[in-house]
Amino acid sequence: MPHPVLARPDLIRFEGDTPHLVGSRCDECGEVYFPATDSCTRCTATRMSPHDLGHRGTLWSWTIQGFLPKAPYNGGETAETFQPYGVGYVELGSGIKVESRLTVADEAKLQIGMPLELTLIPYRRTDDGEVHTFAFRPAASA
Amino acid sequence: MTQDVAIIGIGLHPFGRHDTLTGRAQGAIALRAALKDAGIGWDRIGIAYGGSHDAGNADALCNDLGLTGLPFVNVANGCATGGSALASAVAAIRSGSAEFAVAVGFDKHPRGAFNPHPRDWGLPDWYGETGLMLTTQFFALKTRRYMHDHGITEDALVRVAQRAFRNGALNPQAWRRREMSYGEIAESMPVNLPLRQYMFCNPAEGGAAVVLCPAEVAKRYHAKPIIVKAAVVRTRHHGSFEVFSPALAAQQAPAPTVTASRAAFEQAGVAPRDIDVLQLQDTDSGSEVIHMAENGFCEHGEQERLLRDGETEIGGRLPINTDGGCLANGEPIGASGLRQVIEICTQLRQEAGARQVPGNPRLGYTHVYGAPGVSGVTILQR
Ligand SMILES: [Zn+2]
């Protein structure tokens, strides 16, 4: 199956059909970054290597975006068609917390600590089709 | 020995919506009022620091006030613009490079939430384009985690807003002067849960200015000079939880508010328990709750009890945002930090009318926080 069209292909690498987030890791002190950076704000080093951040995590904090964001947001909805979406920080294996869309936007179904996994969701439509971005959804199995 | 610096003039153009006035015009009104309060002319000002986020260069004020050739430094530090301008003006007087200095700010924002552009903040375009770069989201995410870690409930968020509007109703210069019931706030529209409509301040318009000089000559210009015991600005460290962060480090570090506050208390030689009246950045209810502890005024988790027991009211032990804060005054970014300073000066001069803190307050405190992780703290003394 072809992979979906991504807003930023360099944030994602595929292991089979499973998307993983890609960041960077400081060669000197080991600090992990997302998105990838070319310098380390922890130790000020400038030698960084690409780093696979994996595809599983737990919900560290969350909110529900209740209004249509202004530009530069380009999801394309109108005030009438806009549907609130979930946003959270997701803690990954290394301890880094990545800010991400959540597939769930129901406060009754979101809880700090819940297991999540990475997915790709369409967030915008162009003449060429749907454009996807990364999001986390409740994990199928722990 | 460090030269003490005093505030001898304050001027405010009330915050709100003023369709017939430019932001700069509101800054000029505030600046003229501050000069009049100090009893000196613009031509005697030796240096000026000023800022505006959306209403043009602050040094354009010289076109209104007079082209006297003074050095005028434009300051652009987000919500901490006013605090940064004041800290710079204080440093200029301490160093002897000017006898009279001005810190001024003004703004005029479009209606609705701020819409920052990623590149201005060193961030990739996708972060804004996919709907992750909103200040309201950050405040909600930081508040949610804080509530989880420290056992705070929605009750505290409602009470902060309720007190802000109660104080705003006592302040003739406030923008929002209507008290709101607990239910009206608790059931208002969800903006970014756990934060709702009436728990957020709105972008606004207004101007604010202060005039400063060496403390030893201050009484010649004003009967009630206010001494700046500390004026400190600090930026974030690696690992602190800041606005506009696509990711947070594994190891958390203290916020710039914590480092600025500690440095200010050390500089002033006083402790949080000595403060009689204070202003804490309340872009939203959650931020104020967090800032109470980050500035050292209580333990983490103690806020809800203090709010419920009325300790943060005008007549309480820890009167916070006596003029209604950002919630009741709105936030013109360039002017907001100086509004806080002006309110504390007004309280210490005992000129706050219906909202005056009782008991002859002697020491006051102000705190601003701005993107992308800047805090400014001042400690002021009668
Ligand atoms: Zn490093």
Side-chain angles (χ1 to χ4, degrees), chain A residues 26 29 40 43:
Chain A
C26 174
C29 77
C40 179
C43 78

